[in-house]
Amino acid sequence: LVSGGTYKLYYSPISAGFGPGWVGGTSFATASLITMSSNQNVPITLAAVYTLQGAFTAGGVNQDGGTVYLFDGSGNYISSSSVVSGAYTFSYLPVGSTYKLYYSPISAGFGPGWLGGTSFATASTITISGNINQPITLAALYSLSGTFLANLHPQIGGYVYLFDASG
């Protein structure tokens, strides 16, 4: 290396549980700058990274071909995982990072949604503290139908309201 030259280091470990990255940053732009003026020793100590995974079923059916989306705690899209053999996987997640999951099933009668909530704001927050198994299980949906008669005459244009048991 040339005296006065500036450099950045990128690492790619072979040990399981550790991902590649830049020394001192998360991208080339934010990595630490090393200016050579003599021989230097730059230690690289990697923090463990973990996996967030789980089964994805809807009405008891594996959602092979469905998709699970990973968002960080601020709402930024991070990645997506196609469901294979009924499971999704996100790897190389650092300790202490927070995420929320958005799912998109393939079975008829099940719509997309946020894990544990109805919006990003109310969705469950997952904090990485090790490898995490987080299943996504959507319960079967049912329909309710019938006839609306008064003195055996159809009530065309009348209304029937449905309330859950809590009112």
Side-chain angles (χ1 to χ4, degrees):
L1 302 177
V2 179
S3 180
T6 57
Y7 304 91
K8 296 183 179 194
L9 298 175
Y10 182 81
Y11 55 84
S12 182
I14 59 170
S15 295
F18 297 92
W22 291 94
V23 171
T26 57
S27 66
F28 181 83
T30 61
S32 296
L33 188 64
I34 300 167
T35 302
M36 297 303 297
S37 60
S38 63
N39 291 331
Q40 293 190 35
N41 178 6
V42 179
I44 300 172
T45 304
L46 303 180
V49 289
Y50 295 99
T51 299
L52 169 60
Q53 63 185 12
F56 183 18
T57 59
V61 176
N62 285 346
Q63 294 304 290
D64 292 346
T67 306
V68 178
Y69 301 90
L70 184 70
F71 291 81
D72 68 15
S74 299
N76 299 305
Y77 167 80
I78 302 299
S79 183
S80 64
S81 174
S82 294
V83 178
V84 177
S85 299
Y88 69 92
T89 301
F90 296 103
S91 300
Y92 304 112
L93 304 176
V95 170
S97 55
T98 59
Y99 300 98
K100 294 187 179 192
L101 298 176
Y102 185 81
Y103 54 82
S104 181
I106 60 163
S107 291
F110 296 90
W114 292 97
L115 179 66
T118 57
S119 66
F120 177 82
T122 62
S124 299
T125 298
I126 300 166
T127 302
I128 303 301
S129 59
N131 290 324
I132 295 177
N133 180 20
Q134 177 62 65
I136 301 172
T137 305
L138 306 180
L141 301 176
Y142 301 99
S143 62
L144 178 64
S145 63
T147 56
F148 183 23
L149 303 173
N151 203 21
L152 300 178
H153 296 289
Q155 297 301 295
I156 298 171
Y159 295 96
V160 175
Y161 299 93
L162 175 67
F163 296 89
D164 68 19
S166 64

